[in-house]
Structure formats: structure tokens, C-alpha cells
Amino acid sequence: MFTPHYAAPPPSPSPTQASSYLRSRQGKVAELRQELNSGGRKDKNHSAKKIALKKIVANMTMSNNDMAGLFPDIVNCMQISSLEIKKMCFLFLVNYGRLKPEMALKALPILVNDMDDVNPLVRALALRTMSYIHVREFVEATVPPLKTLLKDLDPYVRKTAAFTVAKLYDHDRVLVEGSSLIDKLNGMLRDDNPTVVASALAALMDIWEKSETIKMTIDYGNASKIVQILPDCSEWGQTYILEALMSYVPQDCADASMIAERISPRLSHSNSAVVLTCIRVILYLMNYIADQKQISSLCRKLSPPLVTLLAKGSEVQYLALRNALLILQRRPEVLRNDIRVFFCKYNDPIYVKVTKLELIFMLATESNIEEVLTELREYAMEIDVHFVRKSVRAIGKLAIKIEPAAKRCINTLLDLVATKVSYIVQEATVVIRNIFRKYPNQYESIISTLCENLDSLDEPEAKAAMIWVIGQYADRIDNSDVLLEDFLYSFAEEPVEVQLALLTATVKLFIQRPTKGQDLVPKVLKWATEETDNPDLRDRGYMYWRLLSSDPATAKQVVMGEKPPITAESEKLDPATLEEMCLNVGTLATVYLKPVQQVFRSARPRRLHDSPALQKHLLPTTLQAIDAQKSLPGLGLEGQPSSLRPPGPNGNTNGHGAMRQGDVTAAADAADAYFAGAGNQQMAAMTVRDDGFGGSPVVGSMGESQYVVNQNQPQQVYPPAVGSGNGDLLLL
């Protein structure tokens, strides 16, 4: 017989063991101190000190041992004029400076003195070390020498000084804003060295991101100057400059086109950060270009770099693919003819495969549908269940997206259903339900195939989809009542999603075939209203009960009436979010496809600034508003009484008479009075009899419309907050 054995927890260290550990640690510190102070005058190259310092740094960083006891000895070593020794001493100082501020202050005079050293590397190293130590005395002592070092003769020192201003701004904003450091940093944009200019821009951008009182403005002259030095900068410098160009607001379409063309050679850079940042700037400048030929030319230039990024590692591939999803929604002409490069490889990670699948769906057209379906069918036969499900769903979405190819997509789905693989059958059932909703009364011949695979359905979504099909086409399925009754056996144990589908399908059966459904409806309504704790199910049960008890004709119009058609574009981003996300291409926010402030709470939201060149009529938010206005006549308002129509801009109701405020008040009062007294009357009428449903007759069937069982609620959109600034940062 198996007897479980439980290991006893490790014993807590005894006082003797603890003291022994403390002595060993103190012994290590004493040993390192002895090594640090050994060598004497004979050791002219300070070899012993260098070896001891390397051991101290290793214990401090890798072994996580407390070396703070060596602070006085390290301070003494800082006075040695060896760059290698100073680097290790300064690393020690940065690590323990905030923990031991009183000891760190002893090193302050040495650091201040080193900032006047003849060696520019020592000056830059001392300045960088001072900026890393967040102690008030260090911050205040850094400002006077920093003003001098911003004008140092060596470009490396000036570059370090530019970044130091941004670091000091993190430590003490008031101190930096009260000094002239930002003005001096602004003046460094005229520097002759490209690296210094790029560093100054990076520091200014960092300060602008964290400030609520500084506004960053770049005119065409400044933008042209910094673009000119792009080829002479390192890849980091190029990224800084391209980031800064996002603050340039073109005042003329020609200026925007010129800057976009001048930075386009950066698209062929080997560094993915430079490429993605360049793509972001070009997408931004396109909003200020009116010439559609110029926009088409720029879009053609964006395709090759995105394709090239797919040859890099999996992580860079994924970043490029997520950004491609975003770019395609804003500029569909990009990558239009490059669908084959997104076909999955056998060794792609699953996250890359799934993202490629989304891009294949977006790029699929009637001209390439055969090639796409062949590829998707291969994916649906792979081992990875998650990827197979996504592939089957993509085939169904393509049937909805491309109407001429719907028949071919359905045949592909039926071939997959014939494999009898459980998860393929269930996923196919879900997408076929959506196809029925998109094309009512066209492909009902495949219902019999679905009914043959009822035993394979064990997932809630697949069950709900099949139940919807049975209810919607109850008048065409001979044994629809028997099929529903089979599902109803386990009504109480089913998830709410399936229960809601069963409730609606049973009511549909009763409306279309009263004699078949008269026994099922009272039973299901009783379960939904009396034997459930779910408010959604209970409320829907009461609604159907009242409808069928009071007015069966109205119930038929409500339950079997035409519903808005579904589309395959439901996964597109909200226009406002899309507009914002295109200004953040290449950042972490584009991986999540979420607004920046949902990913980084402290990030400053980006927005398109108004200017005479801004093409407002082509922005996604403007196009959405125009579409909304066009769709108003399709909401059925023209057939309503004039008193129920929304007033127009002048207070009238679309030319059918003015709506007086008194009429609105009277209508609201009448509605309140009706609903206040309707409850008891309807409840009294809701009596369930054995011979039917409240004695109400039900007229014939209506099988030509569609009904949405489970409709996804719209996602909440968080519009970016627009901050205001009252100071200018770049004014040259």
C-alpha cells in the first residue's frame, strides 16, 4: 500500500548558525579590505587594487553581498588617477550612495574635482555618476559644473551633460526649471556635432514627456536641420531625431511631403527600431499631405521594410506583425500584394502564427481567395488545437467578408467537418451559424450535415450556435422539437450562454410551429423565471412570457424580426483609438493594440495637431461621423410619428413639424403611467395552462428573417486626454 511521505520543512537557522554566517560575511569584507589596501608603493600600476575592486563589484552585483562596510576604503581609492579604478569606484558609489548618504557625501568633493579633470572621459564619468545619485546635496552640487560642461570642448562630455539635464529633471523639476539648464540644452541644438544634437533632442523629449508646463514645438527650419544630420548619427541618435520629428506640425502639404521623402532612406536601415520609428513619422506626416499620388508612393515604400523585418528573430517578427495589423487598418494599400510573405512556416512560434493568420484574413480578396483557402485548410489539419481553431474561424470569417467566395468557404468547412475531429466540428458549427446570419435562406442545405454531428458538441459556444440554428430554422427541420428537447434535458446544468440560447430557440419553435412547441415553452419559461439565479436569464424569460401572453403578433415581430446584418469587420479598432495608435507605431502599446494610457498610465497621449495642412476630412474619426450621419435614415425614423423623431439642428423634426417641449413631457409622463400600471396586469395574464400559452392563439411561421442570439457588446473607448502647455521648448 502506498504511504505518502511529506518532507519536513527545513529547520530555521539557530542563533549559532546566524552568528557564524555574519562572521563569515564580515570576514569576507575584512579580507577584501586587506586586499584593497595591499600593494603599497611597489604596485605602481595598482594591479592589486584593481583585482580587489573587481572582486568587490562581483560580490556587490552577482552575489548580492553587502559591501557597504568598504565605503571609506572605496572613497580613498577614488583619488587614484586611474580611469579603470575610478569606473569601479563610481559603480560602488552609485550602488550604495542612496543607502549610505552620509558616507557618500565624503566622495562629493572628489567628484566635483574630477569634473575639472584634463581627461574628458573622467569628466564625463564623474558627471554621470553625480547624476545617478538621488541625494539632495549631489543634485544641487551638480548644477554649477553642469552649466560649464554643457559647453565643454569635447563632444562626448557635451553629450553626457545633455543626458544629465534630463536625469536632474527626474530628481528635482523645480531646480532645473528655475535654472538656465533647459535654455542651454535648447541652444545645443545648434551644435556642430550630430551626436550632441541627437542627445540634446532626446533629453528635451524626455523632459517634455514628464512636464505639464512645457510645450515642444519644432518648425520647418528646425525639422530640416535635424533631418540633415540623420546620416551622420548612430542608430540611437537617428531614433532620437525621428522621435523628435513627431512634434513637428507641418503648416504646408509640400513641407510634409519634403520631410517624408528626406527621411524615407531610413526605412532601409538594419536596426528595427530606426525602421519602425521612421514608419511612424511617415504615417504621421501622411495626415498632412493632400496629394494622393504622393501618399500612394509613400505607402509603396512602407511595404518592403515591414517584409524585411519578418526575416529577423521571432520577437522582432511579432512586433512587426502587430504593427502591420495597425497600419493595414489605417492604410489598406500597404502590403496589398504581399500576402504570401505572411504564410506560416512550420517552425514559427504560435504567437507569430496567430498574428500572421489575422494578417492573411485582412489581405484576402476575391482574386487570391483560392490560394488563401488552400493555405488555411493546411493549417486546420495541424496539431496545435488553438491554431486549428483560429484557422477554421478564419475560413468562416472569409465567407462573410468576401460574398462571391462564400460557397467555396462553406465547401471547405464541410470538408473539415467530415474529418469528425471534435474541436474542428465545434468551431465550424460556430462559424456556420454566423454565415447563416449573413446569408439567410441561401445555404440551409448544410443544416442536415450539422445535425449529424450533434454528439460532438460539448462546448458552450458550439452548443449555443447549434441551438440557434435549430430555433431559427425550426419550421424547416422536421424533428426540431425533438432536437431541442434533447438539449433541454440538461438545461439546469448548462452555462448561461446555452440556457439563453435554449430559451430563445424554444420561443422561436413555438412561434413557428405552435403545436410542436406548446409543451416545451411553459416548461422552459418556468425554469428561466423561477428556478434560476441569473438575472439576465430571468429577465429574458419574463420578457418572452409577457410578449406571448399579451400580443403574439408583436412577439413574432420582435423574436423573428429582421436584425442588423453581421460583418467580418467587427475586430477593427475604434477610429479614435486607431488614430491615436498610428502615432505610437513601434511602441509596446501597439503590441497590445490598446491606447497608450492603458499601457503606460503616466504616458502623454499623442494627438494630431491642427494646422492648415491637416487633412481632417480623411481622418478615421471624421469618416466615422460622416458614416453615422448617413446611417440615420436607415434607423427607421422616417416611419415614426413626428413626435417620436429626434429634433434637427434647428429644433424641428426633419421637416415633419416642430417638437414642442410640452409634447415631450406629456409623452414621458404617459409612458411612466403606462409602465407603472402595466406590471400587475401582465403578471395576471401570465397564467400557464396545459393546453397552450395563456389561451392566446399563434399565427403562422415566419422563417425568412434572422435573429442574433449572442451579440458582442461594443468595447468601451477611452479617448486620449489632451494636455495643455504654456511654455515653448524649441524656439530657435
Side-chain angles (χ1 to χ4, degrees):
M1 183 175 180
F2 175 72
T3 304
H5 173 71
Y6 301 98
S12 57
S14 64
T16 306
Q17 291 174 320
S19 60
S20 175
Y21 171 74
L22 184 61
R23 282 196 304 272
S24 66
R25 191 173 64 179
Q26 290 175 347
K28 183 176 290 187
V29 170
E31 180 184 339
L32 289 171
R33 180 182 288 114
Q34 184 178 359
E35 289 186 35
L36 196 61
N37 296 324
S38 65
R41 296 181 180 179
K42 294 182 180 179
D43 191 6
K44 294 182 179 180
N45 294 325
H46 309 287
S47 301
K49 291 186 184 297
K50 291 177 182 178
I51 294 172
L53 283 169
K54 288 177 181 178
K55 291 180 180 180
I56 292 170
V57 171
N59 277 278
M60 178 181 68
T61 56
M62 298 175 65
S63 303
N64 202 23
N65 292 324
D66 187 8
M67 298 282 110
L70 295 171
F71 224 124
D73 306 279
I74 296 295
V75 172
N76 291 332
C77 291
M78 289 172 59
Q79 301 179 18
I80 300 173
S81 58
S82 167
L83 184 61
E84 187 178 356
I85 289 177
K86 283 184 179 294
K87 283 182 179 179
M88 290 186 282
C89 291
F90 289 170
L91 181 61
F92 182 95
L93 185 61
V94 169
N95 200 54
Y96 291 112
R98 293 186 66 178
L99 299 177
K100 303 282 186 180
E102 67 285 348
M103 295 296 297
L105 288 175
K106 295 180 180 180
L108 183 56
I110 301 174
L111 288 169
V112 173
N113 185 57
D114 282 346
M115 284 193 280
D116 293 328
D117 196 275
V118 179
N119 189 341
L121 294 177
V122 174
R123 295 199 299 272
L125 184 61
L127 181 60
R128 186 186 295 114
T129 304
M130 291 269 287
S131 67
Y132 276 130
I133 302 173
H134 193 181
V135 177
R136 169 152 294 278
E137 289 81 2
F138 276 80
V139 175
E140 293 176 350
T142 306
V143 175
L146 179 58
K147 293 180 180 179
T148 305
L149 294 177
L150 283 169
K151 299 179 180 178
D152 196 276
L153 295 177
D154 192 274
Y156 180 72
V157 178
R158 297 199 300 274
K159 167 194 166 185
T160 306
F163 285 121
T164 302
V165 177
K167 291 192 183 82
L168 289 184
Y169 193 83
D170 281 341
H171 299 330
D172 193 336
R173 299 186 180 188
V174 177
L175 177 65
V176 174
E177 290 178 357
S179 65
S180 59
L181 290 175
I182 294 180
D183 293 334
K184 291 181 180 297
L185 193 61
N186 202 8
M188 292 178 72
L189 296 177
R190 303 186 185 91
D191 199 287
D192 296 332
N193 190 284
T195 304
V196 174
V197 175
S199 303
L201 271 174
L204 288 169
M205 289 289 293
D206 190 68
I207 292 171
W208 170 73
E209 283 280 351
K210 298 167 183 173
S211 174
E212 297 178 356
T213 60
I214 294 176
K215 180 181 179 182
M216 188 161 184
T217 56
I218 300 180
D219 58 17
Y220 179 74
N222 292 325
S224 183
K225 288 177 184 176
I226 61 178
V227 168
Q228 188 174 358
I229 65 172
L230 263 176
D232 302 322
C233 293
S234 65
E235 53 193 26
W236 283 105
Q238 293 183 35
T239 305
Y240 296 148
I241 290 174
L242 291 170
E243 285 274 2
L245 285 175
M246 293 296 294
S247 298
Y248 164 59
V249 182
Q251 301 299 311
D252 184 77
C253 295
D255 294 345
S257 299
M258 180 64 69
I259 296 294
E261 286 292 341
R262 289 177 65 184
I263 67 172
S264 59
R266 300 302 103 200
L267 293 171
S268 58
H269 200 281
S270 59
N271 186 284
S272 56
V274 176
V275 173
L276 287 172
T277 310
C278 185
I279 290 174
R280 184 201 315 171
V281 178
I282 292 177
L283 286 172
Y284 164 71
L285 293 174
M286 282 184 187
N287 295 299
Y288 297 89
I289 299 176
D291 187 0
Q292 292 302 312
K293 290 184 178 179
Q294 177 70 17
I295 290 179
S296 298
S297 173
L298 290 172
C299 286
R300 286 194 297 272
K301 291 181 179 181
L302 294 183
S303 297
L306 284 171
V307 173
T308 303
L309 289 176
L310 298 180
K312 296 184 179 290
S314 300
E315 292 78 9
V316 177
Q317 277 189 57
Y318 183 65
L319 179 62
L321 291 168
R322 298 299 288 179
N323 282 279
L325 285 174
L326 180 66
I327 294 168
L328 277 175
Q329 293 186 43
R330 181 69 181 93
R331 302 288 178 184
E333 56 268 36
V334 179
L335 298 168
R336 179 179 294 167
N337 301 317
D338 297 307
I339 191 169
R340 290 185 62 86
V341 301
F342 298 111
F343 286 172
C344 300
K345 300 176 182 177
Y346 73 95
N347 57 347
D348 281 338
I350 183 61
Y351 56 88
V352 171
K353 285 184 176 180
V354 171
T355 312
K356 283 184 175 180
L357 201 59
E358 295 180 46
L359 281 163
I360 291 172
F361 168 75
M362 293 181 70
L363 293 169
T365 60
E366 188 177 354
S367 60
N368 59 23
I369 188 65
E370 285 293 345
E371 187 178 19
V372 170
L373 285 178
T374 303
E375 191 74 14
L376 292 179
R377 182 168 179 168
E378 290 183 13
Y379 299 162
M381 305 305 292
E382 288 197 7
I383 299 174
D384 192 298
V385 176
H386 176 67
F387 185 55
V388 170
R389 288 178 178 274
K390 290 279 188 180
S391 303
V392 175
R393 186 156 295 200
I395 296 172
K397 288 168 62 180
L398 285 173
I400 297 172
K401 176 185 176 183
I402 308 171
E403 186 170 351
K407 184 65 177 176
R408 282 173 283 179
C409 294
I410 291 174
N411 290 335
T412 304
L413 288 172
L414 291 178
D415 291 342
L416 293 173
V417 169
T419 62
K420 302 293 183 180
V421 179
S422 174
Y423 51 86
I424 293 180
V425 172
Q426 298 192 84
E427 202 65 41
T429 303
V430 173
V431 296
I432 289 174
R433 183 267 311 268
N434 294 333
I435 293 172
F436 283 161
R437 289 171 56 189
K438 175 68 174 177
Y439 309 110
N441 308 316
Q442 291 190 35
Y443 301 107
E444 285 77 4
S445 58
I446 64 176
I447 293 178
S448 58
T449 306
L450 295 180
C451 292
E452 293 172 2
N453 295 277
L454 287 179
D455 295 337
S456 302
L457 307 180
D458 55 14
E459 296 177 1
E461 189 178 11
K463 282 186 177 181
M466 190 64 220
I467 292 166
W468 182 89
V469 172
I470 296 171
Q472 185 68 26
Y473 299 100
D475 57 334
R476 306 184 191 185
I477 302 174
D478 294 336
N479 61 337
S480 55
D481 56 329
V482 177
L483 295 177
L484 279 180
E485 198 166 4
D486 289 341
F487 281 109
L488 287 171
Y489 281 135
S490 57
F491 181 88
E493 291 79 28
E494 296 289 357
V496 175
E497 179 183 1
V498 178
Q499 290 179 337
L500 288 168
L502 281 169
L503 174 60
T504 303
T506 307
V507 173
K508 286 182 178 180
L509 171 66
F510 178 64
I511 288 174
Q512 297 180 82
R513 304 175 71 178
T515 56
K516 294 284 187 180
Q518 63 182 359
D519 295 330
L520 295 178
V521 167
K523 181 167 56 176
V524 174
L525 286 176
K526 185 176 181 181
W527 289 341
T529 55
E530 298 179 7
E531 300 179 13
T532 182
D533 296 329
N534 186 276
D536 295 332
L537 182 61
R538 189 168 57 245
D539 289 349
R540 186 180 293 190
Y542 279 128
M543 181 192 73
Y544 287 148
W545 201 325
R546 293 182 181 184
L547 274 172
L548 294 171
S549 299
S550 59
D551 192 349
T554 303
K556 183 176 181 180
Q557 292 178 357
V558 171
V559 178
M560 300 301 299
E562 279 194 41
K563 302 299 184 292
I566 65 170
T567 65
E569 309 298 331
S570 58
E571 295 181 2
K572 281 194 172 183
L573 290 174
D574 175 83
T577 305
L578 177 62
E579 201 171 289
E580 180 191 357
M581 294 300 297
C582 285
L583 303 179
N584 293 277
V585 168
T587 65
L588 189 60
T590 56
V591 175
Y592 295 105
L593 293 180
K594 299 282 186 183
V596 179
Q597 286 192 309
Q598 290 188 28
V599 182
F600 306 105
R601 293 182 181 177
S602 59
R604 180 184 289 241
R606 295 184 182 272
R607 61 186 179 86
L608 290 171
H609 296 279
D610 194 13
S611 87
L614 182 61
Q615 307 298 305
K616 295 181 181 178
H617 63 287
L618 297 177
L619 297 179
T621 48
T622 307
L623 295 175
Q624 182 193 36
I626 295 173
D627 290 342
Q629 290 179 355
K630 289 180 179 178
S631 64
L632 286 177
L635 296 178
L637 298 177
E638 68 277 7
Q640 296 181 358
S642 60
S643 60
L644 296 181
R645 291 182 186 151
N650 299 323
N652 59 21
T653 54
N654 301 329
H656 292 275
M659 178 187 285
R660 296 191 299 271
Q661 184 64 30
D663 294 340
V664 177
T665 306
D669 292 342
D672 291 340
Y674 170 77
F675 285 112
N680 295 331
Q681 299 173 11
Q682 297 299 330
M683 290 296 289
M686 285 168 47
T687 55
V688 181
R689 303 177 186 172
D690 294 335
D691 57 346
F693 200 74
S696 301
V698 178
V699 293
S701 63
M702 177 183 176
E704 297 180 353
S705 59
Q706 60 180 346
Y707 182 74
V708 181
V709 178
N710 294 310
Q711 192 169 7
N712 294 327
Q713 295 187 5
Q715 295 182 352
Q716 187 175 3
V717 178
Y718 300 92
V722 179
S724 60
N726 55 15
D728 290 336
L729 190 59
L730 297 181
L731 291 175
L732 300 182

